[in-house]
């Protein structure tokens, strides 16, 4: 893989640090009034999710990580693994464990396309789309006179996620949900 010098560091860059694949979260170039300039980098370990900060002197370099991000279609879960299939025509399948999927399980719907991060052909992380459309399977019935500004109630979605929705939402409706904060956006069109 390529080596990246400190002047090439940027947010999102995937590098190897101490034999582990990491992603740069925040990069800050610091030039003190006295002494040598340095780069302060906040990194996230792609395997464990741990975030830490490290400084690099000008001119230092890091090896690029052999990490690929691929669009994959979610197929099913067998309880232990969540199975994804490549959408590029090869139909190759990968099984991601609970560490790789993380909190995304409540937004995964069969046939949705997700971005899966692969390291040595093993899924490290799964990123769901920012917005998903899910059906309401259980909620209290709406009453006549409920308005958009009248408050909210919990609704259980088809994936098992529970979100707060306006009072006028009924069972069976399909909703657009923001997966970044788990909030109701609108009814699906």
């Amino acid at each position: 893989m390529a080596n990246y010098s400190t002047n090439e560091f940027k947010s999102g860059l995937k590098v190897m640090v101490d034999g582990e694949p990491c992603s740069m979260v925040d990069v800050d170039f610091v030039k003190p009034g006295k002494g040598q300039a340095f780069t302060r980098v906040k990194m996230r370990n792609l395997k464990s999710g741990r975030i830490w900060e490290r400084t690099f002197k000008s001119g230092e370099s890091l090896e690029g990580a052999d990490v690929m991000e691929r669009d994959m279609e979610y197929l099913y879960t067998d309880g232990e693994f969540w199975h994804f299939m490549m959408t590029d025509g090869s139909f190759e399948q990968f099984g991601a464990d609970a560490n790789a999927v993380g909190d995304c399980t409540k937004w995964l719907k069969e046939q949705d396309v997700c971005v899966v991060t692969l390291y040595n052909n093993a899924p490290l992380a799964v990123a769901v789309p920012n917005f998903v459309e899910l059906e309401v399977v259980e909620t209290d019935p709406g009453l006549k006179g409920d308005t958009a500004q009248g408050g909210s109630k919990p609704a259980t979605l088809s994936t098992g996620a529970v979100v707060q929705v306006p009072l006028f939402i009924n069972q069976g409706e399909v909703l657009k949900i923001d997966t970044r904060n788990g909030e109701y956006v609108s009814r699906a069109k």
Side-chain angles (χ1 to χ4, degrees), residues 12-178:
L13 186 66
K14 312 275 192 299
V15 293
M16 296 296 287
V17 178
D18 302 329
E20 296 279 318
C22 298
S23 175
M24 293 185 179
V25 177
D26 189 36
V27 178
D28 207 14
F29 178 74
V30 180
K31 187 169 183 346
K34 213 169 163 184
Q36 186 179 8
F38 62 92
T39 304
R40 185 179 304 125
V41 181
K42 191 181 285 188
M43 294 198 205
R44 182 172 56 87
N45 186 315
L46 292 172
K47 283 186 176 177
S48 67
R50 186 175 74 96
I51 295 179
W52 79 97
E53 214 170 82
R54 190 161 172 182
T55 58
F56 297 92
K57 295 177 189 167
S58 292
E60 282 189 78
S61 64
L62 288 174
E63 180 188 353
D66 186 19
V67 174
M68 298 180 295
E69 291 184 341
R70 296 280 186 253
D71 285 343
M72 293 191 192
E73 182 180 318
Y74 172 61
L75 299 175
Y76 65 95
T77 181
D78 59 14
E80 186 178 357
F81 291 98
W82 286 260
H83 297 273
F84 295 86
M85 179 180 66
M86 294 285 260
T87 58
D88 63 2
S90 68
F91 305 111
E92 191 175 353
Q93 293 186 17
F94 295 88
D97 62 7
N99 289 340
V101 178
D103 290 339
C104 293
T105 55
K106 60 186 175 186
W107 309 121
L108 283 174
K109 186 176 77 180
E110 291 169 0
Q111 298 180 341
D112 275 357
V113 175
C114 304
V115 176
V116 179
T117 304
L118 297 172
Y119 174 65
N120 290 340
N121 276 340
L124 270 183
V126 175
V128 294
N130 289 342
F131 299 98
V132 293
E133 293 183 357
L134 298 170
E135 183 182 348
V136 176
V137 292
E138 186 183 333
T139 189
D140 294 332
L143 300 172
K144 185 174 177 144
D146 286 346
T147 62
Q149 290 128 8
S152 62
K153 61 183 179 181
T156 305
L157 305 175
S158 56
T159 59
V162 177
V163 296
Q164 291 294 321
V165 298
L167 296 171
F168 59 82
I169 298 296
N170 293 313
Q171 194 168 318
E173 291 188 62
V174 178
L175 307 179
K176 185 175 183 181
I177 306 292
D178 187 337

